[in-house]
Amino acid sequence: MKKIITFIMSLVALGASAQQPVYLDATKPIDQRVEDALQRMTLDEKIAVIHAQSKFSSPGIKRLGFPDFWTDDGPHGVRPDVLWDEWEQAGQTNDSCVAFPALSCLAATFNTQLARLYGESLGEEALYRDKDMILGPGVNIYRTPLNGRNFEYMGEDPYLASRMVVPYIQGLQSKGVSACVKHYALNNDENFRHQVNVIVSDRALHEIYLPAFKAAVIEGKTWGLMGAYNLYNNQHNCHNDIMLNQILKRDWGYDGVVVSDWGGAHDTEEAIRYGLDMEFGTWTDGLTMGKTNAYDLYHMADAYKQLIREGKYTERELNDKVRRVLRLFFRTTMNHNRGYGFLCSESHYDAARKIAQEGIVLLQNRGNLLPIQMEGKKRILVVGENAIKMMTVGGGSSSLKVQHEILPLDAIAKRCAAKGIECDYARGYVGDTVQSYNRVTVGRSIAEWRDATTLLNEAVEKARGADYVIFVGGLNKSDFQDCEGHDRRDYEMPYGQNEVIKAIADVNPNVVFVCISGNSMALPWVNQVPAIVQGWYGGSETGEAIASILFGEVCPSGKLPYTWYASLNDCGAHATGSFPGTWRASHDIIDERYDEGLYVGYRWIDSHKKAKALFAFGHGLSYTTFTVKNLRSSNKTITKDGQITFTVDVTNTGSREGAETVQLYIHDKKSSLDRPYKELKGFAKIWLKPGETQPVSITIGTDALSFYDDRVGEWVCEPGDFEALVGTSSANILQRITFKMN
């Protein structure tokens, strides 16, 4: 229907003219079509296309046959439609979707093919819903486990995030739907996110916080990128000269649009000069509430037009923005080869389930308690609010309205019923019983009126004599947990869960803890509970994915995309005292110094002997076992612009098929500047049958040996000796070999 409307509008625009404008000729290069359309546009039309007309749309150019442009929140599914000028949902009955796992779970798969599948599936859902841009994926670095939005991102390592974001973008955009990679950049905490001014070294900026964005632009060729709320170098990132003009558009050659986060624009002249292309937001000025439906009052609307009419600015800067917007139109709304997409298909649920299964991480399994053995068992007890709480609703802009969400309790109970085993349930604790967001509600009430002592005692009594106790807990998507707009207040597990787990472990040795979260937390009972599973926010197929792992239908293969610290002081941002920053005397800006510099996550653990990881970056167990042997290299030296390949033999020494992820870290033996001991520079996931051996090869170039030299402002690869370290986590290095850079 959209294509037909566009065609009719185009005919109207042409009138009686027999000559077809170049911009309508899809055989012409996009930039030629852009220039043709640009020279036909009036000033009013140019201004109109660079700012919103509703909460999630900007106008097209109706006179020339360009339809309106529609964005929608992601990155885990297509958000339900909201009212034209309000955040509340529109109450439609055809906008339920498939919820895909949170991006922290996707990163844990260490599987780039699944990232591509994720993007393609999401793109098909977006197409069906007539969305032209999905606001995601997010690739901000996991600097602190207190960041409420970590669940939307891809972990602590810039290389891992870079490898996973590129196929996601390519998959999404292959469907003619634009990605909008966010939040560029340094958006690493949520409290006072509009006031935080990040002070970070150039080295840390380029080596830790920018690589995933750079890969998204240069390799993924993303068509959209969203500026962050926070400030860098005392400028808001939605109009920042260094970030947008210099690094993004000049150094990286970005030809797409820079979209403001909603309300992220603060000044008309800075927006004109410092790289913003499309302004979206909330109410009068894009940020604060005022007269509703007043989009002409945005910074890049009438105020911009008036400055041009007064002669303070020409249309030169405006034309650059409009060219980018037109290029976006030709890639999306004016791309007549786009399909129609489909919603809630079997293939999308299959994709969501597979991603969730591969992302689940088996953190601990003492005594091989897992997988659960059903034979001869009589009763399995499930404890915990997260076993019955829908997690697709809430958490901020990634909240969804799903066709269905399979809960852990339901999936476990189904398997027990099939085997004639009793599946009992005890609440154990009460967290947040609200099951709605922006008027999206769920059908199952989890209201609870009993007090904490009663709930604990019930759980303990039911745990006595149970064959297994599966405690499904962790965090949720309420404020001050895993939620946009708020950071966690501390590193503890909320709602008194630790006390319940300890009490249950005292009466039953067969306790499995399933953690639902996008963040790590303190686990003071870690030595009492034999099995620990990180289950993430798994989307529509959450329960099925978790149950399939617990009961051994699927062999776990996920790896942690971040370091699970033993305590908060083992994290560099907290050990240095630099989080959450210091208010200025004016009390309008918080200066947050990234004093840990390059030493984020495992880099900090490696360099500080007192720091401890409870579970290391890249860690993840399996129901089978593997050996990694015989590391060799294709050559002993690597030259400028050359490559070197490292190969190991991986053998499945266990009794069932499974997957292992080989991780390659590089150690620079001597450098003119201080460097982390090792850095991830390659990984490969391989599936093996019992007894099978396969070689696994990882090839790197000199970019994997380079560091950003802030003395000269460029990437440098120094000659000397390097070591390739191969293992199955950052703390489990099994093989090493030396090579030389000439």
Side-chain angles (χ1 to χ4, degrees), residues 183-185 210 213 225-228 232 235-254 256-260 264 270-278 320-321 324:
H183 306 86
Y184 181 77
L210 291 187
F213 290 103
L225 183 142
M226 181 186 290
Y232 167 72
Q235 284 187 324
H236 282 281
N237 278 343
C238 286
H239 32 70
N240 188 295
D241 188 35
I242 294 175
M243 283 290 184
L244 300 179
N245 287 344
Q246 298 180 39
I247 296 175
L248 178 67
K249 294 183 176 179
R250 183 194 68 190
D251 296 348
W252 298 350
Y254 179 57
V257 298
V258 173
V259 176
S260 74
E270 288 199 6
I272 294 171
R273 296 162 58 192
Y274 299 140
L276 181 61
D277 299 314
M278 298 182 78
D320 177 71
K321 301 177 193 299
R324 293 172 182 274

Side-chain angles (χ1 to χ4, degrees), residues 659-707:
E660 181 59 281
T661 300
V662 176
Q663 300 163 39
L664 170 68
Y665 298 83
I666 297 297
H667 167 57
D668 188 349
K669 288 195 168 186
K670 186 177 181 180
S671 173
S672 62
L673 292 180
D674 184 46
R675 302 189 71 176
Y677 177 78
K678 66 177 182 290
E679 297 177 288
L680 182 71
K681 296 298 179 181
F683 59 87
K685 192 167 189 175
I686 184 171
W687 281 258
L688 296 171
K689 297 177 181 178
E692 183 180 6
T693 299
Q694 289 286 343
V696 174
S697 296
I698 299 173
T699 299
I700 63 169
T702 52
D703 58 325
L705 313 179
S706 303
F707 61 88

Side-chain angles (χ1 to χ4, degrees), residues 4 9 40 111 117 177 181 394 401 414 430 698:
I4 295 172
M9 292 171 67
R40 298 171 186 272
N111 187 336
L117 175 64
V177 177
V181 180
K401 181 169 77 174
K414 181 179 72 173
V430 176
I698 299 173

Side-chain angles (χ1 to χ4, degrees), residues 369-433:
L369 182 63
L370 293 176
I372 291 173
Q373 302 300 317
M374 305 283 276
E375 291 73 18
K377 303 302 187 293
K378 296 181 179 179
R379 185 166 64 94
I380 290 176
L381 174 67
V382 179
V383 181
E385 181 176 281
N386 283 1
I388 60 171
K389 183 176 177 64
M390 288 183 68
M391 296 294 184
T392 55
V393 176
S397 60
S398 64
S399 180
L400 299 170
K401 181 169 77 174
V402 297
Q403 187 184 53
H404 75 247
E405 178 180 348
I406 300 174
L407 298 171
L409 177 61
D410 294 338
I412 293 169
K414 181 179 72 173
R415 285 159 174 80
C416 289
K419 292 288 187 178
I421 297 172
E422 178 187 356
C423 180
D424 202 357
Y425 175 73
R427 183 68 171 261
Y429 69 94
V430 176
D432 183 353
T433 61

Side-chain angles (χ1 to χ4, degrees), residues 634-680:
S634 58
N635 41 291
K636 296 297 182 184
T637 62
I638 182 173
T639 58
K640 182 182 179 181
D641 300 325
Q643 292 183 326
I644 185 170
T645 299
F646 301 98
T647 303
V648 290
D649 295 327
V650 183
T651 302
N652 183 342
T653 57
S655 59
R656 63 175 295 171
E657 184 175 1
E660 181 59 281
T661 300
V662 176
Q663 300 163 39
L664 170 68
Y665 298 83
I666 297 297
H667 167 57
D668 188 349
K669 288 195 168 186
K670 186 177 181 180
S671 173
S672 62
L673 292 180
D674 184 46
R675 302 189 71 176
Y677 177 78
K678 66 177 182 290
E679 297 177 288
L680 182 71

Side-chain angles (χ1 to χ4, degrees), residues 6 46 50 103 116 120 147 169 183 208 211 249 257 288 368 412 518 525 535 600-601 619 673:
T6 301
K46 290 177 181 180
I50 65 169
L103 292 188
R116 172 80 189 206
E120 290 176 349
N147 181 8
I169 294 168
H183 306 86
I208 303 296
K249 294 183 176 179
V257 298
T288 58
N368 293 323
I412 293 169
W525 37 260
V600 175
H619 168 75
L673 292 180

